[in-house]
């Protein structure tokens, strides 16, 4: 038995989206690094509804074309990847 195996990764990168839920079609992305990255937003069926290039640790997202629902946000920069759930009302 390997005592070092766990279901959580303490080195996982954090991705923040505020406010969550999004009410006015706008939110702030707080990324785990300032490096250039790609942000993708997926709907409940796995379809990509938004892809944006972002840079910096904070980025304003405009989401007026995104329908109400639950989405998965994925931030990717090189080999670093972070995800968060985003609710749009």
């Amino acid at each position: 038995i390997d005592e070092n195996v766990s279901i959580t990764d303490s080195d996982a990168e954090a991705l923040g989206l505020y406010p969550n839920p999004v009410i006015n079609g706008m939110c702030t992305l707080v990324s785990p690094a300032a490096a250039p990255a790609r942000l993708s937003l997926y709907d409940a069926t796995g379809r990509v509804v938004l892809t944006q290039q972002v840079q910096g640790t904070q980025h304003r997202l405009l989401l007026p074309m995104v329908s109400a629902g639950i989405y998965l946000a994925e931030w990717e920069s090189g080999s670093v990847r972070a995800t968060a759930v985003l609710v749009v009302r």
Side-chain angles (χ1 to χ4, degrees):
I1 296 176
D2 185 352
E3 295 175 10
N4 295 319
V5 175
S6 73
I7 59 170
T8 59
D9 182 2
S10 61
D11 296 330
E13 300 295 332
L15 178 66
L17 295 161
Y18 306 99
N20 194 359
V22 175
I23 298 169
N24 62 358
M26 193 170 33
C27 75
T28 300
L29 162 76
V30 180
S31 65
R38 184 182 73 222
L39 177 73
S40 300
L41 198 61
Y42 299 90
D43 67 11
T45 66
R47 183 176 58 97
V48 176
V49 296
L50 174 76
T51 300
Q52 252 183 348
Q53 295 298 318
V54 296
Q55 186 168 353
T57 56
Q58 290 194 3
H59 187 79
R60 174 126 332 170
L61 297 177
L62 301 176
L63 307 169
M65 70 293 197
V66 177
S67 301
I70 299 173
Y71 297 88
L72 176 69
E74 178 184 55
W75 179 94
E76 241 181 320
S77 179
S79 63
V80 180
R81 182 175 166 259
T83 60
V85 173
L86 179 66
V87 177
V88 177
R89 290 194 180 168

